[in-house]
Amino acid sequence: MIPLSLYIHFPWCIKKCPYCDFNSHVAKNSIPEAAYTDALLKDLESELPFVQGRKIHSIFFGGGTPSLMSGAAVEQILSAAEKHIGFANNIEITLEANPGTAEQQRFKDYRAAGVNRISLGAQSFNNQQLQNLGRIHRADETLRAVEMLHRAGVENFNLDLMFALPNQTVDEALADLQQAIALAPPHLSWYQLTLEPNTVFYSERPSVPDDDLQFDMMQAGHALLAQHGYQQYETSAFSQTGKQCRHNRNYWEFGDYLGIGAGAHGKVTLNEGSELIIRRRQKTRTPEHYLQSINPCSADVALAQNDSVTEFALNALRLIDGVPRSLFTERTGLPFSVIAPTVTQLITEGLLVDDVTRLAPTQKGAWFLNDVVARFIYG
Ligand SMILES: C[S@@+](CC[C@H](N)C(=O)[O-])C[C@H]1O[C@@H](n2cnc3c(N)ncnc32)[C@H](O)[C@@H]1O
Ligand code: SF4
């Protein structure tokens, strides 16, 4: 059976960061937590037909800023998910927190509700950079948030950091990593800042390091992380042994997930005869419309075979070790012969590893991932 995860989107933030294109909004008045929780519960119920006897193996509260939710709301949602679907043993339950909203009691409440992993949006430890990024917190607040996590008994945590920040030098990027490493997070996400359309940074472009400098930062950063025992397992994800993020791994391994909340995406696979039908479901994006909707699902499309192939490659090849070749058929229902000629050609070009059991990028393939994935676009 294809593993099943649950993603829960919380669409509000205290302030919109100028680089962010996520579905996050500044609440005009107060956040309607009770109404939103009710809408999430209704949304969860509408997803039950897609569970197909599976238990949930990971849950992720993402945003926006889910750390603006009360412990009681988190508890209500988790109880409903456990009651109506059921949890696998050792379920991983992550909640994204902004250090500017960290509160000791809330972390304890989340822990009591079942959250066992927190992802903290540190971004940088340089106060000037935090200001450039429009963050609502300073570096010392991130340090305090980590202490609070320890006191709340959440030992499994991630720090989000970004590099290639405005006018950043290689040394500054490394100093951020060094500070992060000093906090000994079991997991580190290190993202290259991208200037996304529809953001302030896109229209008022800051001066960011050029491609060569970004490449130097990446090389030096990867070396530093490796030296401190952080193994890179995906383009931007690094972890201590045994601490990979199970939820994100499920996306990259093309597993299934239910998505609830404003703008949430889901992917579910249905068995129809001898065929697998992959459906992508999306929820109403604007929080106000989501709250008012009778049916929160705004789109539900079955993927064409070509799209399944492309999406599989797009996800699986982000993993540094790739995936077993057998996963292609398991997750798409298509025979490996569909992609065999492309795979053989990419091996010849040194972009995929020459291993009959695996589908994995070489170092060069990982650097030119977009080009590699483009080769899996058919039709
Ligand atoms: C869904 S966001 C939200 C986390 C949380 N709201 C916060 O900001 O503290 C997850 C992470 O994506 C990264 N991110 C967001 N926008 C980005 C961009 N334009 N380029 C690179 N990374 C980005 C940030 O590190 C962020 O923490
Ligand atoms: S706090 Fe996070 S989700 Fe909210 S605007 Fe900033 S980066 Fe985006």
Side-chain angles (χ1 to χ4, degrees), residues 114-184:
V115 172
N116 53 23
R117 186 171 181 275
I118 292 276
S119 176
L120 269 185
Q123 318 308 353
S124 171
F125 290 96
N126 177 317
N127 284 329
Q128 180 57 52
Q129 285 297 2
L130 288 170
Q131 204 180 333
N132 296 342
L133 294 170
R135 299 292 296 179
I136 58 165
H137 57 91
R138 293 169 63 87
D140 58 344
E141 288 171 81
T142 306
L143 306 185
R144 272 208 300 277
V146 172
E147 279 169 29
M148 288 181 199
L149 287 182
H150 290 306
R151 278 200 296 270
V154 182
E155 294 307 332
N156 196 12
F157 70 99
N158 166 61
L159 294 180
D160 276 345
L161 280 184
M162 294 191 289
F163 70 100
L165 303 180
N167 300 313
Q168 195 177 40
T169 63
V170 175
D171 283 347
E172 283 169 1
L174 293 180
D176 270 349
L177 279 180
Q178 245 139 6
Q179 174 61 77
I181 291 166
L183 295 169

Side-chain angles (χ1 to χ4, degrees), residues 42-244:
K42 201 174 75 179
D43 196 351
L44 181 69
E45 214 176 294
S46 74
E47 291 291 321
L48 297 180
F50 303 104
V51 171
Q52 304 171 97
R54 294 174 286 185
K55 289 193 188 307
I56 310 175
H57 87 150
S58 68
I59 299 182
F60 198 99
F61 288 86
T65 307
S67 51
L68 290 171
M69 291 169 87
S70 67
V74 169
E75 203 274 330
Q76 241 184 307
I77 294 156
L78 291 178
S79 302
E82 184 166 24
K83 179 168 160 223
H84 297 300
I85 308 179
F87 290 174
N89 291 336
N90 299 323
I91 185 170
E92 174 191 272
I93 305 179
T94 306
L95 184 139
E96 265 181 356
N98 185 319
T101 66
E103 283 173 28
Q104 183 65 72
Q105 189 55 45
R106 252 186 209 201
F107 283 157
K108 287 186 177 161
D109 294 345
Y110 295 152
R111 183 72 200 93
V115 172
N116 53 23
R117 186 171 181 275
I118 292 276
S119 176
L120 269 185
Q123 318 308 353
S124 171
F125 290 96
N126 177 317
N127 284 329
Q128 180 57 52
Q129 285 297 2
L130 288 170
Q131 204 180 333
N132 296 342
L133 294 170
R135 299 292 296 179
I136 58 165
H137 57 91
R138 293 169 63 87
D140 58 344
E141 288 171 81
T142 306
L143 306 185
R144 272 208 300 277
V146 172
E147 279 169 29
M148 288 181 199
L149 287 182
H150 290 306
R151 278 200 296 270
V154 182
E155 294 307 332
N156 196 12
F157 70 99
N158 166 61
L159 294 180
D160 276 345
L161 280 184
M162 294 191 289
F163 70 100
L165 303 180
N167 300 313
Q168 195 177 40
T169 63
V170 175
D171 283 347
E172 283 169 1
L174 293 180
D176 270 349
L177 279 180
Q178 245 139 6
Q179 174 61 77
I181 291 166
L183 295 169
H187 193 285
L188 246 164
S189 299
W190 196 46
Y191 299 109
Q192 182 166 1
L193 176 69
T194 42
L195 305 180
E196 304 281 359
N198 302 318
T199 62
V200 173
F201 271 11
Y202 198 74
S203 45
E204 296 163 27
R205 205 185 153 84
S207 148
V208 289
D210 64 25
D211 287 353
D212 285 346
L213 196 55
Q214 293 198 18
F215 190 74
D216 291 347
M217 278 179 192
M218 208 169 74
Q219 297 269 69
H222 289 183
L224 182 68
L225 286 163
Q227 206 184 319
H228 288 87
Y230 288 91
Q231 223 187 348
Q232 184 183 16
Y233 67 99
E234 186 266 347
T235 313
S236 312
F238 301 79
S239 79
Q240 296 174 343
T241 307
K243 298 294 179 189
Q244 295 187 7

Side-chain angles (χ1 to χ4, degrees), residues 13 15-17 19-20 22 24 63-65 98 135:
C13 292
K15 188 178 160 210
K16 182 79 182 175
C17 303
Y19 56 87
C20 174
F22 287 93
S24 60
T65 307
N98 185 319
R135 299 292 296 179

Side-chain angles (χ1 to χ4, degrees), residues 306-328:
N306 291 341
D307 294 333
S308 305
V309 173
T310 311
E311 289 201 16
F312 181 87
L314 183 70
N315 282 288
L317 295 175
R318 292 180 66 104
L319 289 166
I320 302 301
D321 290 336
V323 293
R325 282 193 183 188
S326 55
L327 204 71
F328 177 76

